[in-house]
Amino acid sequence: MRKAPTILHLDMDAFYASAEQASKPSLRGKAVVVGGLGPRGVVATASYEARVFGVHSAMPMAQARRLAPNAAYLVPRFGFYKAISEQVMGLLRELSPLVEPLSLDEAFVDLEAGGAAWDDASARQVGARLRGDIRAVTGLTGSVGLAASKMLAKIASEQAKPDGLVVIEPGTERALLGPLSVRTLPGVGPATGDHLRRAGIHTVDEIVEAGEDELVRLLGKAHGHGLYAMALARDERAVVAEREAKSVSVEDTYDVDIHDRVRVGLEVQRLADRCVRRLRGAGVSGRTIVLKVRRYDFSTLTRSETLRGPTDDPAVVREAALRMLEGVDSTGGVRLLGVGVTGLADFTQEDLFAQAAGAAGAAGEGADHAVEQAADDVSAEERDVVVERRWVAGHDVRHAEYGHGWVQGSGLGRVTVRFETPDSEPGRVRTFLVDDPALESADPLPLVEVMGARPHHP
């Protein structure tokens, strides 16, 4: 008996960029690129309008600017995207207890496990209804693929893009896969794809023609057997409801290498605080603190320190990270810093602050003092840079007179703001001094004002 197409794969369309366009009326229908805006930044997401110019995710931002110089370039608002993602994942969990999120904008759902679908017709109906619910709740679009396995459902959602629904019916899988590139199959990245290409294997049909023994010879036993099975449309991977996080970490890549040792210490302290905020947001704590330092020559050093119990205390994480920094040679400059916590648990040990303080000794106290002293020694020029960086391109602000808006850009002591909301007409642009007391940071506005507006389904 053939399996019904009851594995659903949802992929939100150009998620970050689409969320920004929905939030900012002046950007709708225009090229939008979201990512790191510094010289070393990369593209996180490009709108479909930007993709016309060849811009795509993971591309260096400098290259994207050359291809689409007139696009809007924005820094990601991850808190905003996460809030939308939680709404979407909530809709998926109404369909089944087996929901496997892959990222903020992508997930698998086992519809049969929730009794939501059992054959082609019921699966197609659920997919169509889900797309409508997502639009009603978030104002955004998602593409849905339905098939009998995870691999085929993901391929179907790719074919459905943008804003579509594709069902791969039982019995059609081999004919569909045959002419596709080998890169379509899970586990075939650039290196494996090149290896197969050198062997004269370009399509899925050619994998089948080569035979299982040849695949094992080329790729090894495990990979060869697995890839041959997928080429025959065999994929037995189950939808896994929970993917437990093993670590929480943050890192920053700097536009200009940092040479000042005191500045490096300040950055580590700031990253430790950000890491703890993520820990607390996830409701977990951790035992092992990790410091990552990438130097000017791209060499990367990683140091770790394990505590006697889990913590989410920012002072403990800061002190541990600074102690490890003392043993790292940053001569020549630092281009990336990161702080992480592993060994996660859902509780904390209250006396860890005293433990960490006792373990720090004179070296730890010296590092802490250096950070405190540096706060008083920052030059006026550096303080100005900090103030200007407050106004991040694409992020939300509120003005006492003009209301809600978003930052179009800042520099030379000024910040440019466009005043508009998700349900307004494209707004006017005004420029202010960066320290204008009437201007302040603001939380993002919801894309859909009435969250319960979606239809009720019996």
Side-chain angles (χ1 to χ4, degrees):
M1 182 177 177
R2 288 171 174 164
K3 293 175 64 177
T6 55
I7 301 298
L8 181 149
H9 181 261
L10 169 70
D11 198 349
M12 299 294 288
D13 300 322
F15 182 46
Y16 299 168
S18 294
E20 296 297 347
Q21 289 175 316
S23 178
K24 302 171 171 64
S26 59
L27 298 184
R28 292 170 192 168
K30 298 181 180 178
V32 174
V33 181
V34 180
L37 301 191
R40 294 172 182 161
V42 297
V43 175
T45 308
S47 70
Y48 287 100
E49 295 86 354
R51 295 179 192 186
V52 171
F53 298 98
V55 180
H56 58 77
S57 61
M59 172 182 284
M61 190 61 77
Q63 182 181 355
R65 288 185 183 276
R66 289 193 294 272
L67 292 172
N70 297 320
Y73 289 87
L74 308 175
V75 174
R77 296 185 291 165
F78 288 113
F80 178 53
Y81 309 144
K82 184 179 179 183
I84 299 171
S85 175
E86 288 171 352
Q87 292 177 302
V88 173
M89 296 302 164
L91 292 174
L92 299 183
R93 291 187 180 97
E94 291 179 9
L95 300 176
S96 172
L98 291 184
V99 175
E100 182 179 339
L102 304 180
S103 61
L104 290 178
D105 60 341
E106 185 180 2
F108 287 110
V109 185
D110 187 332
L111 297 178
E112 189 175 17
W118 49 90
D119 60 12
D120 177 38
S122 59
R124 190 181 296 272
Q125 184 179 33
V126 168
R129 191 173 70 207
L130 174 64
R131 292 177 55 235
D133 286 351
I134 289 172
R135 186 185 290 274
V137 170
T138 70
L140 303 179
T141 64
S143 295
V144 172
L146 287 151
S149 69
K150 292 170 73 172
M151 175 187 74
L152 292 166
K154 183 171 175 61
I155 290 172
S157 70
E158 284 296 319
Q159 294 184 341
K161 282 185 166 294
D163 190 21
L165 169 67
V166 168
V167 180
I168 299 178
E169 298 180 2
T172 67
E173 297 94 343
R174 289 284 303 278
L176 171 77
L177 283 176
L180 300 180
S181 165
V182 296
R183 290 290 305 276
T184 305
L185 300 180
V188 182
T192 301
D194 286 344
H195 197 51
L196 292 170
R197 180 179 51 78
R198 287 194 294 271
I201 299 173
H202 302 84
T203 67
V204 176
D205 265 345
E206 288 170 345
I207 289 179
V208 177
E209 291 169 7
E212 190 168 14
D213 290 344
E214 177 66 5
L215 265 290
V216 169
R217 188 187 70 79
L218 288 171
L219 304 176
K221 189 173 182 180
H223 200 180
H225 285 313
L227 195 59
Y228 185 73
M230 287 187 175
L232 294 174
R234 299 172 188 161
D235 177 19
E236 301 301 323
R237 294 175 300 159
V239 175
V240 181
E242 294 296 334
R243 288 181 170 266
E244 185 177 352
K246 296 181 179 179
S247 65
V248 173
S249 63
V250 297
E251 61 182 44
D252 275 346
T253 300
Y254 302 99
D255 295 345
V256 178
D257 292 346
I258 303 175
H259 294 81
D260 183 354
R261 183 76 178 182
V262 172
R263 168 83 186 282
V264 173
L266 284 169
E267 290 295 321
V268 166
Q269 177 179 244
R270 183 178 60 81
L271 288 166
D273 288 344
R274 277 175 54 197
C275 183
V276 168
R277 285 197 295 272
R278 287 195 180 183
L279 273 179
R280 290 181 171 179
V284 295
S285 58
R287 294 185 64 227
T288 301
I289 316 302
V290 180
L291 175 70
K292 178 179 177 182
V293 180
R294 180 167 297 150
R295 298 186 292 192
Y296 70 98
D297 59 356
F298 286 91
S299 61
T300 302
L301 304 176
T302 303
R303 300 288 185 268
S304 64
E305 177 179 311
T306 299
L307 308 172
R308 290 209 299 261
T311 185
D312 65 353
D313 189 319
V316 173
V317 178
R318 280 198 303 268
E319 289 178 8
L322 289 169
R323 280 198 300 277
M324 290 183 280
L325 180 64
E326 286 294 302
V328 173
D329 179 11
S330 60
T331 305
V334 170
R335 64 188 296 118
L336 177 147
L337 289 168
V339 174
V341 177
T342 66
L344 302 185
D346 58 1
F347 63 94
T348 60
Q349 187 167 312
E350 296 299 334
D351 64 346
L352 275 176
F353 182 87
Q355 294 174 20
E365 291 172 8
D368 206 30
H369 174 73
V371 172
E372 291 176 0
Q373 183 64 39
D376 296 328
D377 292 343
V378 176
S379 68
E381 181 180 355
E382 288 172 319
R383 281 196 296 270
D384 287 344
V385 170
V386 171
V387 169
E388 288 199 32
R389 283 179 179 170
R390 222 176 110 209
W391 309 116
V392 180
H395 284 219
D396 299 83
V397 294
R398 176 168 293 280
H399 190 275
E401 181 179 353
Y402 302 111
H404 191 93
W406 57 278
V407 176
Q408 283 201 325
S410 65
L412 302 176
R414 298 183 179 274
V415 56
T416 301
V417 177
R418 184 181 289 273
F419 290 97
E420 59 187 4
T421 63
D423 57 354
S424 74
E425 296 295 320
R428 293 188 59 182
V429 174
R430 299 181 183 274
T431 299
F432 308 91
L433 296 175
V434 294
D435 57 356
D436 189 324
L439 191 65
E440 61 182 3
S441 296
D443 292 330
L445 297 176
L447 298 182
V448 177
E449 201 62 44
V450 181
M451 290 306 176
R454 68 189 178 93
H456 173 69
H457 305 298

